[in-house]
Amino acid sequence: MILSLDPHSEVPIYQQIRDRVVEAVAAGELVAGSPLPSTRQLATDLGINFHTVNKSYDLLRSEGLLVLNRRSGALVQRDPGTGPPAAGFTEQWRTRLRTLLAEAVAQGVDGPAALDACAATLASFALPAPLAPPAQSAQPAQSAPAQGETR
Amino acid sequence: MILSLDPHSEVPIYQQIRDRVVEAVAAGELVAGSPLPSTRQLATDLGINFHTVNKSYDLLRSEGLLVLNRRSGALVQRDPGTGPPAAGFTEQWRTRLRTLLAEAVAQGVDGPAALDACAATLASFALPAPLAPPAQSAQPAQSAPAQGETR
Amino acid sequence: MILSLDPHSEVPIYQQIRDRVVEAVAAGELVAGSPLPSTRQLATDLGINFHTVNKSYDLLRSEGLLVLNRRSGALVQRDPGTGPPAAGFTEQWRTRLRTLLAEAVAQGVDGPAALDACAATLASFALPAPLAPPAQSAQPAQSAPAQGETR
Amino acid sequence: MILSLDPHSEVPIYQQIRDRVVEAVAAGELVAGSPLPSTRQLATDLGINFHTVNKSYDLLRSEGLLVLNRRSGALVQRDPGTGPPAAGFTEQWRTRLRTLLAEAVAQGVDGPAALDACAATLASFALPAPLAPPAQSAQPAQSAPAQGETR
DNA sequence: GTGGTCTAGACCACC
DNA sequence: GTGGTCTAGACCACA
């Protein structure tokens, strides 16, 4: 679990951590049962306050992606494509998607180009194969990770 | 220009206003030259302080979507699909897109469904649809220069 | 970071602050990573309202010169001569330059004298000069992509 | 005297008029004694309020570029390169020049390129020849006038 | 402690 | 009438 933060980003650190975990789950790099580092461990690794990591994990738990307990630490709970999205999630997600796409269109990205970007990103999630089969992944990870979140 | 806000939302009011305007521009409901209500007018209509509207308009101006002056009030400056996405815009937009799509995938939306959502949203922008006849135009895609802003 | 304002000037206070910062960046007194005083700190130092400083910093951020966040405060983002002048910047800058030079010529400054003034000012930016030794560097000339054009 | 305004510019109309006149004087298109249209005439030509033109002329008069009287209307008073700049002009002009150049440098324009721009602009003022001698002017008038002023 | 948001009221510049 | 500037005070989110 490599996790790089941008300390100068406008995106809160706890949000950046959360975003990276979500992306790792979507990409299949983290699957149900995968352990995450302890809050204190990750905090020292990243050179940040452990309360911040705590907040990230708590957020992920509230989104149903993590289970936390004293014994086993933090474990990923969901796999990509598993189960139905929680009630109400889809609507608010679509709203945010609409805003994000509108932004691109308004700035001059044309429709097909925007759709291509969506397809490419989704494709990068589709065939992850963490470390089980040989994995014939065509174009796995986008480069340039930074300051995510749609706000 | 109907514009509804959620006063309880996490997202700041000025941001919500900005988002609605961006969507309206993307959807072609607002085109270059379209006037927006005056800051004070919109503020009273929405029951908020005029400084908040001011901030929205200022943000939109910095994104190159609005021109403001004391004579003609606030006017939309860009058309959807017009001009090049300003340098640097595309990268940070893709990062945000990746995070947003990851969120859906992680929550159990499968790839094709997510892509459908993107396509549907983009299609809803493709139609000009101010209130003229249906018009089957596939995609606008002007050429034209511009003068964006990376923010 | 000494910063003197003229409260009786026509130019808004927030604009004066912004101008001083821009000049300091151009002169190399502020480089990427340099911290600026906190908004409230600078406000009390200058005897003005913190919202006014806020607006200055916000403007500088929108110009890509500053990054702001709750952790590290305000940090300079660009170095002089670094990166490309954003699309559209050069044209509107040239227009303003033309007006300013015309003003001098119309007031009786002759061409060579005006050009000398430009050269002298630019030379004063060329020296890094934070407060290290004199350093006889003639001109820095970073990478800087094209954009020449005499029109 | 063609004089095009941008009604959507952020620059006040009276300022735009003033800027165009200053540039015409610098370029030698207007010389001492040249008449300007009457305020009412110019106002109707431009489709604006005559008070606005009045303000422009008044500003130009206060800058010593125009003389106004009831009989002869508005007459240009100065030639480019004529006489010394009024006391105090040079200092405040240099301040504005410094700010303008700093802006370019901070945005990534390198020193030589900026100086070239200055030289080119000044050269365009140098050889005007309004309509007296045959005029061998190589490149008299810039095109694209718009939204001037250094603020 | 930092920056960010929202409210509020005053005054100014422009047209 | 419009937008713009400045002041002021309150509260929140982040670290």
Side-chain angles (χ1 to χ4, degrees):
Chain A
M1 186 64 203
I2 307 118
L3 198 158
S4 62
L5 300 181
D6 175 4
H8 297 337
S9 166
E10 305 199 352
V11 180
I13 290 180
Y14 81 95
Q15 181 71 271
Q16 294 185 48
I17 297 175
R18 175 267 187 190
D19 288 349
R20 293 302 87 74
V21 172
V22 168
E23 288 165 17
V25 169
E29 296 161 12
L30 294 174
V31 297
S34 300
L36 258 56
S38 76
T39 49
R40 281 171 177 82
Q41 180 60 47
L42 186 52
T44 56
D45 285 359
L46 297 174
I48 60 178
N49 192 297
F50 96 93
H51 287 111
T52 305
V53 179
N54 233 328
K55 186 162 184 176
S56 303
Y57 281 12
D58 204 53
L59 179 54
L60 286 162
R61 185 192 51 73
S62 77
E63 296 179 320
L65 292 178
L66 236 54
V67 281
L68 305 174
N69 61 52
R70 276 183 209 82
R71 297 175 302 285
S72 44
L75 298 180
V76 172
Q77 192 172 18
R78 292 185 71 97
D79 279 332
T82 302
F89 171 81
T90 306
E91 297 93 84
Q92 64 94 348
W93 181 78
R94 280 207 171 219
T95 304
R96 290 194 287 150
L97 175 67
R98 179 175 162 83
T99 301
L100 185 61
L101 292 176
E103 205 169 315
V105 171
Q107 287 297 335
V109 179
D110 71 353
L115 192 54
D116 278 356
C118 297
T121 302
L122 286 167
S124 79
F125 294 149
L127 24 123
L131 48 106
Q136 79 292 16
S137 66
Q139 48 170 36
Q142 231 73 345
S143 59
Q147 77 164 334
E149 183 52 16
T150 316
R151 192 173 355 169
Chain B
M1 186 66 203
I2 309 109
L3 199 158
S4 61
L5 300 180
D6 174 7
H8 302 322
S9 167
E10 296 271 285
V11 32
I13 294 177
Y14 82 94
Q15 182 74 28
Q16 293 185 47
I17 298 175
R18 175 266 186 193
D19 287 349
R20 295 301 88 75
V21 173
V22 167
E23 288 163 16
V25 169
E29 295 161 15
L30 294 175
V31 297
S34 300
L36 259 57
S38 79
T39 49
R40 281 158 173 97
Q41 182 61 49
L42 185 53
T44 56
D45 285 0
L46 297 175
I48 60 176
N49 190 284
F50 99 91
H51 285 114
T52 305
V53 179
N54 221 334
K55 184 160 187 176
S56 302
Y57 281 12
D58 209 53
L59 178 54
L60 286 162
R61 172 175 58 180
S62 81
E63 296 180 320
L65 291 179
L66 234 54
V67 281
L68 303 175
N69 63 52
R70 293 161 172 123
R71 299 177 285 285
S72 36
L75 299 179
V76 172
Q77 193 172 21
R78 290 184 73 102
D79 279 329
T82 300
F89 171 82
T90 306
E91 297 101 77
Q92 64 96 344
W93 180 79
R94 279 203 172 224
T95 304
R96 291 196 285 151
L97 176 67
R98 179 175 161 83
T99 302
L100 185 61
L101 291 177
E103 206 169 316
V105 171
Q107 287 296 336
V109 179
D110 70 353
L115 192 55
D116 278 354
C118 297
T121 303
L122 286 167
S124 78
F125 294 152
L127 324 163
L131 49 104
Q136 80 295 5
S137 69
Q139 68 185 45
Q142 263 85 343
S143 60
Q147 61 107 3
E149 171 57 25
T150 316
R151 191 177 359 166
Chain C
M1 185 66 202
I2 309 109
L3 198 157
S4 60
L5 299 180
D6 174 6
H8 302 323
S9 167
E10 296 271 284
V11 31
I13 294 178
Y14 82 93
Q15 182 75 30
Q16 293 185 47
I17 297 176
R18 175 268 187 192
D19 288 349
R20 293 302 87 75
V21 173
V22 168
E23 289 163 17
V25 170
E29 295 161 16
L30 294 174
V31 297
S34 300
L36 259 57
S38 79
T39 49
R40 282 159 173 95
Q41 182 60 49
L42 185 52
T44 57
D45 286 359
L46 297 175
I48 60 176
N49 191 283
F50 100 91
H51 285 115
T52 305
V53 178
N54 221 332
K55 186 160 185 177
S56 303
Y57 281 13
D58 209 52
L59 177 54
L60 285 162
R61 172 175 57 180
S62 81
E63 296 180 320
L65 292 179
L66 235 54
V67 282
L68 303 175
N69 63 51
R70 293 163 173 120
R71 299 178 285 286
S72 37
L75 298 179
V76 172
Q77 192 172 23
R78 289 183 72 101
D79 280 327
T82 300
F89 171 82
T90 306
E91 297 101 78
Q92 64 94 346
W93 180 79
R94 282 201 169 224
T95 305
R96 292 196 286 150
L97 176 66
R98 179 175 160 82
T99 301
L100 185 61
L101 291 176
E103 205 169 317
V105 171
Q107 287 296 336
V109 179
D110 71 351
L115 192 55
D116 278 355
C118 297
T121 303
L122 286 168
S124 79
F125 293 152
L127 325 161
L131 48 105
Q136 80 294 9
S137 67
Q139 66 184 46
Q142 263 85 343
S143 60
Q147 81 79 30
E149 231 277 83
T150 315
R151 192 198 302 205
Chain D
M1 185 66 203
I2 307 116
L3 199 158
S4 61
L5 300 179
D6 175 4
H8 296 336
S9 165
E10 305 199 351
V11 181
I13 290 180
Y14 83 93
Q15 182 72 270
Q16 293 186 48
I17 297 176
R18 175 267 186 191
D19 288 350
R20 294 301 88 74
V21 172
V22 168
E23 288 164 18
V25 169
E29 295 162 14
L30 293 175
V31 297
S34 299
L36 257 57
S38 77
T39 50
R40 281 172 177 82
Q41 181 60 46
L42 186 52
T44 56
D45 286 0
L46 297 174
I48 59 177
N49 192 296
F50 96 95
H51 287 110
T52 305
V53 179
N54 231 330
K55 184 160 185 177
S56 303
Y57 281 13
D58 206 53
L59 178 54
L60 286 161
R61 185 191 52 70
S62 78
E63 297 180 318
L65 292 178
L66 235 54
V67 281
L68 305 174
N69 60 52
R70 276 182 211 82
R71 298 175 302 285
S72 44
L75 297 180
V76 172
Q77 192 172 16
R78 291 185 73 98
D79 280 332
T82 302
F89 171 81
T90 306
E91 297 92 83
Q92 64 94 345
W93 180 79
R94 280 208 172 218
T95 303
R96 289 195 287 150
L97 176 66
R98 179 175 163 83
T99 302
L100 185 61
L101 292 176
E103 206 170 314
V105 171
Q107 287 297 334
V109 179
D110 71 354
L115 192 54
D116 278 355
C118 297
T121 302
L122 286 167
S124 79
F125 294 149
L127 23 123
L131 49 105
Q136 78 293 14
S137 67
Q139 50 170 35
Q142 230 72 347
S143 59
Q147 75 162 334
E149 183 52 14
T150 317
R151 193 178 351 169

